[in-house]
Amino acid sequence: MVLTHVKELVEQNAQKYESYGLTASVFSAGLNKKELDQQVTFASVQSLARNLDKLNTFYSLIIIDECHRVSTAQDSQYMQVISCLKRYNPKLMLLGLTATPYRLGHGWIYREHYHGFIRGEEGSPFAKCIYELPLRYMISNQYLTPPNKLDPAIEHYDFSSLATDSLGRYSESDMNNLLNSHTRATKSIIEHILVQAESRRGVMIFAATVMHAKEIVSYLPVNETELVIGDTENKQRDNIIARFKSKEIKFLVNVSVLTTGFDAPHVDFIAILRPTESVSLYQQIVGRGLRLDEGKDDCLIIDYAGNDFDLFHPEVGAKKPNSDSEPVQVLCPGCGFANTFWGKLDEQGKVVEHYGRRCQGVLEDEVDGESMQCDFRFKFKECSHCGAENDIAARQCHSCGEIMADPDDKLRDALNLKSALVLRCCGMTAEVIKPQVLKVTYFDEDGADVSEVYDFTNKGSRYYFHRNFAKRLKSGSAVGEWKNVEEVNITLLSPPDFVIAKQHKKYGWQISDKLFDYDGSYRVADKS
Ligand SMILES: [Zn+2]
Ligand SMILES: [Zn+2]
């Protein structure tokens, strides 16, 4: 049983299968077919979910195309079909295919990768990724057309100042406001596109909003341009796509409807005028132009929205934290696994900063042989009861079960206290003031500072220094033990986000708490 969510894909897949001289059934209301008599059926999940009573037989395998749409909610259409077929075969196998295994806000579609690392949460729709075909491989082995990326030397949009929702998306009104103040940019971008398109056969333009798309269309030749948006009626949409595929029209403008599964092999120019939230979405859009076609040598890719993704970047699985971050490799000091996180490199290619939280390596439990995620954390909140390291967003200690103090409560309490000082820390310095005595000073954006002293000849003092800083090195590496002050490389230490100090009658401000890896609602200082 081959399932997918749109009739175009049902038809496309069935045709591909039959091109091998095989016969398949097709079950899709949109295609006016309700057949189930062949060994292999291509079906739309909506049609099948409405006809569960007809699914009264044994299937050994379900294949889901574009499987990132599968939700584990029991009442979802995919789950209805799956549990129905499981009644006839408890050992039913499920295989998913997708080019976007990770989506912002939804996370990874699978739990474990076949190279031995954890990606998704427990309870992800799929247990294991069993095979991955990187874009680079597909292009160098001529399964896909090489992309030809051109940097437009003209004004482009910058969406990066806008706020995003939990799915990493911008609101339509925010984007419209920004675009409204850039109407000259849109006009000159389209002029640029028209010049570049002269030697091209099919041009797909990805717009940010419906209003934006309509403006774009108004600058393009009327007889050669069509627009597809979410509200476009099916019949009209089919007609437009058919005319585009037969090259009657050259420019196809769309607003987030033709990103996946759309297949027009002659497309040889992709113009991106919208923000893309993740590497894989960017790759999906570009992928619309990489199909092989006769007489097509490359596909021109122009990103007018400053998305700045590398087509061959691995998916990091987190929102890009800022525009100058890139995927970096961080070896886990615990298990040695090479993690890919967002981060920054120096000129020698060394990691100087990264945004990873927890190692993604897989370890096998020595007792029951089950695989589990490595417990090493690069950023963590320490439990004040047992000292265990927890995720920075944890509310309850995973080790002792105690409720963890909310850093926001600590800050609020300190801010309400006259005798307390809260320093929004943006950096730190350290100097050796006596042999083996280190004075560490934390300062804020306005230049205020507080300091504390660590005496390395004192075991307890050395221990506290180690506990604060050793596991949070900017490079992601770990320190065995600092025995003396000279071994400490201050430039690699991560400063806390907040320092709380209390007024002491005799000694002035004394640091009472430091909040590292803060993940709450107060603003943190820019440390770059
Ligand atoms: Zn590890
Ligand atoms: Zn604990």
Side-chain angles (χ1 to χ4, degrees):
M1 179 64 70
V2 186
L3 293 178
T4 182
H5 64 288
V6 282
K7 62 170 186 185
E8 285 88 356
L9 281 177
V10 175
E11 195 173 27
Q12 235 173 67
N13 291 341
Q15 277 171 0
K16 193 85 196 170
Y17 181 79
E18 296 199 320
S19 74
Y20 290 92
L22 303 159
T23 312
S25 335
V26 171
F27 198 103
S28 159
L31 299 172
N32 274 322
K33 283 183 181 169
K34 289 195 173 174
E35 313 156 349
L36 287 165
D37 51 322
Q38 296 294 325
Q39 187 199 18
V40 174
T41 299
F42 291 85
S44 100
V45 67
Q46 293 91 335
S47 304
L48 220 48
R50 270 186 236 116
N51 291 278
L52 290 176
D53 53 314
K54 298 205 169 67
L55 282 180
N56 50 6
T57 183
F58 180 99
Y59 282 87
S60 37
L61 173 67
I62 296 183
I63 298 176
I64 301 179
D65 195 6
E66 306 286 352
C67 71
H68 52 268
R69 295 180 154 265
V70 173
S71 137
T72 45
Q74 279 308 314
D75 55 351
S76 74
Q77 289 173 327
Y78 280 110
M79 291 312 283
Q80 284 177 34
V81 172
I82 292 167
S83 44
C84 176
L85 288 180
K86 264 195 171 161
R87 270 187 259 143
Y88 299 92
N89 176 14
K91 292 187 172 166
L92 180 73
M93 302 293 280
L94 183 60
L95 175 71
L97 307 169
T98 179
T100 45
Y102 170 81
R103 292 187 305 154
L104 265 186
H106 299 274
W108 291 96
I109 187 88
Y110 59 85
R111 171 80 175 144
E112 193 177 335
H113 190 276
Y114 65 106
H115 285 156
F117 52 92
I118 297 284
R119 282 192 141 159
E121 302 290 321
E122 249 167 287
S124 299
F126 292 85
K128 201 163 181 177
C129 166
I130 56 169
Y131 193 59
E132 197 169 34
L133 257 181
L135 209 49
R136 194 184 293 278
Y137 176 92
M138 301 285 280
I139 292 165
S140 59
N141 287 281
Q142 287 152 27
Y143 292 111
L144 292 174
T145 307
N148 173 6
K149 201 175 165 192
L150 189 79
D151 241 337
I154 59 164
E155 194 183 349
H156 62 75
Y157 310 121
D158 182 8
F159 295 98
S160 63
S161 60
L162 303 181
T164 55
D165 68 6
S166 66
L167 300 181
R169 295 174 309 201
Y170 302 105
S171 84
E172 174 136 359
S173 60
D174 281 357
M175 288 195 287
N176 280 341
N177 283 339
L178 186 131
L179 292 162
N180 270 334
S181 58
H182 281 74
T183 47
R184 285 221 352 249
T186 304
K187 191 150 196 260
S188 61
I189 285 170
I190 301 305
E191 281 162 8
H192 189 259
I193 289 177
L194 282 167
V195 173
Q196 296 298 323
E198 271 167 27
S199 57
R200 300 282 160 180
R201 296 187 296 174
V203 185
M204 284 184 79
I205 299 175
F206 292 82
T209 67
V210 173
M211 188 200 82
H212 184 218
K214 288 183 176 160
E215 188 192 350
I216 291 170
V217 169
S218 75
Y219 302 136
L220 289 164
V222 182
N223 300 329
E224 292 180 85
T225 307
E226 285 289 356
L227 168 65
V228 180
I229 58 175
D231 290 343
T232 309
E233 259 182 57
N234 279 348
K235 243 197 180 147
Q236 197 193 352
R237 174 176 155 170
D238 291 351
N239 176 272
I240 291 173
I241 289 173
R243 283 167 54 222
F244 181 63
K245 284 187 177 179
S246 65
K247 305 183 193 104
E248 261 177 70
I249 49 170
K250 184 168 178 179
F251 300 94
L252 187 55
V253 183
N254 85 93
V255 186
S256 57
V257 278
L258 301 178
T259 44
T260 55
F262 177 77
D263 198 9
H266 77 288
V267 172
D268 54 1
F269 182 5
I270 299 280
I272 305 171
L273 279 70
R274 56 162 286 181
T276 61
E277 302 95 54
S278 66
V279 179
S280 4
L281 179 60
Y282 180 80
Q283 291 172 344
Q284 273 282 290
I285 289 176
V286 171
R288 299 307 105 217
L290 301 187
R291 302 274 174 194
L292 300 177
D293 197 28
E294 235 178 82
K296 175 170 156 187
D297 299 322
D298 67 3
C299 176
L300 183 63
I301 314 287
I302 308 185
D303 175 6
Y304 296 95
N307 287 296
D308 216 16
F309 283 121
D310 187 319
L311 195 51
F312 301 115
H313 267 168
E315 177 60 73
V316 175
K319 194 184 165 200
K320 193 173 175 175
N322 42 43
S323 62
D324 51 352
S325 286
E326 56 186 311
V328 300
Q329 204 176 66
V330 179
L331 294 181
C332 171
C335 72
F337 176 71
N339 291 279
T340 302
F341 297 133
W342 290 114
K344 290 174 189 167
L345 300 172
D346 66 9
E347 277 158 22
Q348 279 86 46
K350 267 208 206 136
V351 178
V352 289
E353 193 177 2
H354 75 81
Y355 295 87
R357 284 194 191 183
R358 180 178 176 179
C359 174
Q360 294 162 331
V362 170
L363 306 172
E364 208 161 89
D365 191 294
E366 281 167 23
V367 187
D368 58 13
E370 274 204 22
S371 51
M372 51 185 203
Q373 183 172 6
C374 171
D375 203 31
F376 188 88
R377 289 169 203 273
F378 297 93
K379 294 199 169 37
F380 54 89
K381 200 159 77 171
E382 205 176 70
C383 170
S384 53
H385 293 92
C386 72
E389 290 162 8
N390 285 272
D391 186 76
I392 56 176
R395 307 234 157 163
Q396 194 178 11
C397 175
H398 71 88
S399 175
C400 72
E402 285 285 341
I403 301 298
M404 308 210 27
D406 184 344
D408 278 352
D409 290 343
K410 288 185 182 177
L411 287 175
R412 209 173 298 119
D413 290 349
L415 286 166
N416 286 332
L417 221 58
K418 265 214 173 102
S419 59
L421 169 89
V422 175
L423 190 95
R424 181 180 282 126
C425 183
C426 71
M428 62 189 270
T429 55
E431 57 173 330
V432 181
I433 51 170
K434 269 195 284 187
Q436 297 307 320
V437 176
L438 194 66
K439 181 181 176 187
V440 180
T441 305
Y442 309 97
F443 48 91
D444 73 3
E445 293 155 316
D446 305 320
D449 63 67
V450 279
S451 32
E452 60 186 352
V453 166
Y454 291 96
D455 180 355
F456 274 60
T457 60
N458 177 311
K459 209 175 156 196
S461 181
R462 212 165 62 217
Y463 168 78
Y464 277 110
F465 186 80
H466 198 273
R467 199 164 134 180
N468 281 331
F469 298 107
K471 284 190 78 176
R472 292 190 174 96
L473 293 194
K474 287 178 181 167
S475 58
S477 51
V479 185
E481 200 192 339
W482 283 306
K483 287 213 173 61
N484 52 64
V485 162
E486 289 78 32
E487 291 168 13
V488 179
N489 179 356
I490 179 80
T491 59
L492 282 184
L493 304 184
S494 303
D497 292 304
F498 291 97
V499 178
I500 299 171
K502 300 238 162 93
Q503 181 77 271
H504 188 277
K505 274 183 196 142
K506 201 163 150 198
Y507 304 111
W509 292 112
Q510 295 290 300
I511 291 175
S512 62
D513 208 348
K514 296 191 287 292
L515 304 183
F516 288 92
D517 303 329
Y518 174 75
D519 183 40
S521 50
Y522 290 91
R523 180 179 74 83
V524 297
D526 181 10
K527 299 193 182 63
S528 55

